[in-house]
Amino acid sequence: MPLTGIDALAFAGPASYLEMTDLARARNVDPSKYLVGLGQRRMAIATPCEDTVTMAVEAGSKALDNFDIDPGEIGTLIVGTETGVDHSKPVAVYVHELLGLDQRCRTFETKHACYGAMAGLTASMDWIASGRARGRKALVIASDIARYGLNTAGEPTQGAGAVAMAVSDTPRLLAIDPARIGDYTRQVMDFWRPLYSKYAFADGHYSIECYLDALVGARLDAIGECSELLESLTACLYHVPFVKMAFKAHQRQMEIELGTQITREQAARWQALDDSYQRLTAPWLSLNADIGNIYTGSLFLALIDLLRQADNAFAGREVSLFSYGSGCGATYCIGTISEGADQWRDALDPSEHLSTRRQLNIDEYEALVLETDNADRQEKLEPSSFGLKDGLFYVGTRDHCRQYQRF
Ligand code: HMG
């Protein structure tokens, strides 16, 4: 079986963000609830001209350009999203045209809340292993806008962005072990978005329990009853709806290895948990803290954070990845950092984009939320009126067809 995995990675996100302290003050909440209790510093906010398509195309073209991949090499394109722009037409087919991919490319969209991109990644690995790829690569793009609405419990856990990854049988960044991939599925109502709503409904505290149950189930399927995995790893990466969730997940993995669950008070005094979390998970959560929940892409944002800090000593080291999508579906797998991955640190680092984002005040943020609600029906949108200059933007509809234009 060929060694498959992630060959290129890139992030793209909206040009604006909100400080969590500003949101907390506006909602009469102690800022430390958002900063410490949830672990978030900022959240990316999409304007009406930035949608799932534009972010996916920007991330996809960065992954191709920065990693010297010719669009003709892509034989499968999968866009994982739960914030599609049409009930029928996939985001992926817009992205296919805008990236200039070959017509022989198989193209589709996957939807399973935050799990769509991991489903796309493993499907791409299977496509390569089956021999159908005939030397071509897959491009998997996670693109989402997390919206819970003003004054909701989920509001501080919003965000927006896209992560694109090329998948190949010569992965320059991370090889994934096909023998240690585990899956988990269970029908639960923890988070959902009915057809009539732009906003997600969430049973927030229950969703945390569902996430942790899925972690236990998927890990068991991937590696069995093993109780000494964490010690051998260099990083444990998780789906990150908010940074504190990664801590809760890491605690659950420690409990699995210990063979017992512990109380909140015990966890606060458990030095080994803190040491393990600080070594394996905390160092790779900075992008998630500054961008917020990007749903399908959020696990891979943590992977970008890890790889932008990797030096040549990381080559050959193992990393665990856990993807969770509400509803629910999950995968746990083990990857090995490729020899030479450190050469691509600058190519995948989104620091420059983050440093040029525009800070919104709370009035601008609230106005944008309302304008975005109506964006699908607008016939003409001016990117410049949202402070947007260069890039690909959604500019409104003509005869019910979405229009995109590069500025
Ligand atoms: P909440 O009820 O407003 O917050 O909702 P809370 O009361 O649970 O407080 C949050 C944390 O802040 C707690 O920490 C508090 O103690 C702490 P914990 O006990 O959990 O360790 N806290 C403070 N800390 C410091 N100073 C203070 C202070 N006050 C409180 N002053 C909730 C929080 C996450 C439930 C809400 O934001 C929500 O519903 N979010 C959306 C759902 C979600 O993110 N679920 C995560 C798991 S499901 C998932 O990941 C899938 C998802 O990404 C969707 C998909 O798959 O597509 C969501």
Side-chain angles (χ1 to χ4, degrees):
M1 191 170 283
L3 187 69
T4 53
I6 300 174
D7 189 46
L9 263 177
F11 169 80
S16 314
Y17 73 94
L18 185 68
E19 288 284 347
M20 298 309 290
T21 43
D22 290 345
L23 181 65
R25 286 196 192 102
R27 302 290 175 253
N28 286 319
V29 169
D30 178 351
S32 65
K33 174 172 174 182
Y34 295 168
L35 299 172
V36 181
L38 297 176
Q40 293 302 126
R41 280 191 294 260
R42 303 189 175 101
M43 62 187 189
I45 304 295
T47 62
C49 294
E50 297 162 300
D51 71 6
T52 309
V53 173
T54 64
M55 295 188 303
V57 172
E58 296 294 10
S61 60
K62 276 189 203 169
L64 298 180
D65 292 350
N66 296 351
F67 285 81
D68 303 321
I69 298 172
D70 187 289
E73 289 178 65
I74 303 300
T76 284
L77 169 68
I78 304 172
V79 177
T81 183
E82 78 94 75
T83 32
V85 295
D86 191 293
H87 287 308
S88 166
K89 191 177 166 87
V91 167
V93 83
Y94 288 104
V95 176
H96 176 275
E97 179 187 45
L98 290 161
L99 287 179
L101 301 187
D102 195 292
Q103 283 191 335
R104 284 166 299 185
C105 177
R106 178 178 69 152
T107 297
F108 58 95
E109 179 175 309
T110 52
K111 181 185 72 180
H112 192 149
C114 299
Y115 180 67
M118 177 57 99
L121 171 61
T122 50
S124 300
M125 291 170 56
D126 295 344
W127 172 70
I128 292 169
S130 75
R132 270 197 68 195
R134 301 190 300 269
R136 294 171 298 170
K137 298 175 198 262
L139 183 62
V140 180
I141 308 180
S143 186
D144 272 305
I145 301 174
R147 289 193 196 105
Y148 291 92
L150 303 177
N151 286 297
T152 60
E155 187 180 27
T157 61
Q158 299 178 123
V163 175
M165 49 197 154
V167 184
S168 84
D169 57 5
T170 49
R172 285 172 282 178
L173 300 175
L174 189 81
I176 294 172
D177 180 358
R180 287 184 292 170
I181 301 180
D183 301 309
Y184 178 90
T185 301
R186 185 161 68 107
Q187 199 288 109
V188 289
M189 292 303 285
D190 64 331
F191 166 105
W192 66 103
R193 194 161 64 81
L195 286 175
Y196 51 80
S197 178
K198 275 193 178 299
Y199 296 103
F201 290 68
D203 188 342
H205 294 278
Y206 177 56
S207 72
I208 293 172
E209 280 175 43
C210 294
Y211 174 120
L212 295 173
D213 289 347
L215 170 62
V216 175
R219 179 185 144 125
L220 184 66
D221 189 41
I223 58 163
E225 303 276 358
C226 172
S227 62
E228 289 168 352
L229 175 74
L230 298 183
E231 200 46 45
S232 68
L233 297 177
T234 283
C236 291
L237 307 179
Y238 301 96
H239 167 56
V240 190
F242 52 93
V243 162
K244 179 68 116 15
M245 188 69 231
F247 176 79
K248 291 176 192 291
H250 198 68
Q251 177 179 332
R252 184 55 53 92
Q253 284 220 77
M254 291 281 287
E255 289 169 351
I256 293 170
E257 299 208 347
L258 196 67
T260 179
Q261 282 195 24
I262 58 166
T263 64
R264 195 188 160 83
E265 291 68 35
Q266 286 170 319
R269 292 194 307 272
W270 190 9
Q271 190 58 40
L273 167 61
D274 189 50
D275 292 348
S276 178
Y277 176 71
Q278 294 304 334
R279 182 175 80 81
L280 294 172
T281 300
W284 337 116
L285 292 171
S286 176
L287 294 175
N288 296 91
D290 278 339
I291 293 166
N293 192 359
I294 61 167
Y295 288 164
T296 40
S298 91
L299 162 68
F300 303 101
L301 200 52
L303 178 62
I304 290 179
D305 207 349
L306 165 72
L307 291 173
R308 73 178 179 155
Q309 298 174 63
D311 59 26
N312 62 9
F314 280 62
R317 299 227 193 127
E318 289 193 338
V319 173
S320 68
L321 297 98
F322 173 66
S323 169
Y324 176 76
S326 283
C328 74
T331 287
Y332 187 101
C333 61
I334 306 290
T336 304
I337 299 176
S338 307
E339 194 69 50
D342 57 307
Q343 290 167 28
W344 301 98
R345 282 161 52 143
D346 294 344
L348 52 75
D349 189 349
S351 300
E352 200 181 315
H353 157 73
L354 295 181
S355 66
T356 57
R357 289 190 302 176
R358 190 170 78 91
Q359 182 182 346
L360 299 172
N361 64 39
I362 201 80
D363 292 338
E364 289 171 315
Y365 154 69
E366 293 189 349
L368 275 182
V369 170
L370 301 178
E371 283 170 293
T372 306
D373 280 352
N374 300 317
D376 293 339
R377 288 170 184 268
Q378 292 284 326
E379 294 202 343
K380 190 160 172 44
L381 286 166
E382 283 293 345
S384 58
S385 63
F386 302 106
L388 302 170
K389 290 192 208 93
D390 306 326
L392 174 77
F393 300 116
Y394 165 63
V395 291
T397 60
R398 194 187 308 139
D399 297 332
H400 305 286
C401 303
R402 293 178 84 84
Q403 305 294 312
Y404 292 92
Q405 198 178 323
R406 190 164 279 288
F407 290 78

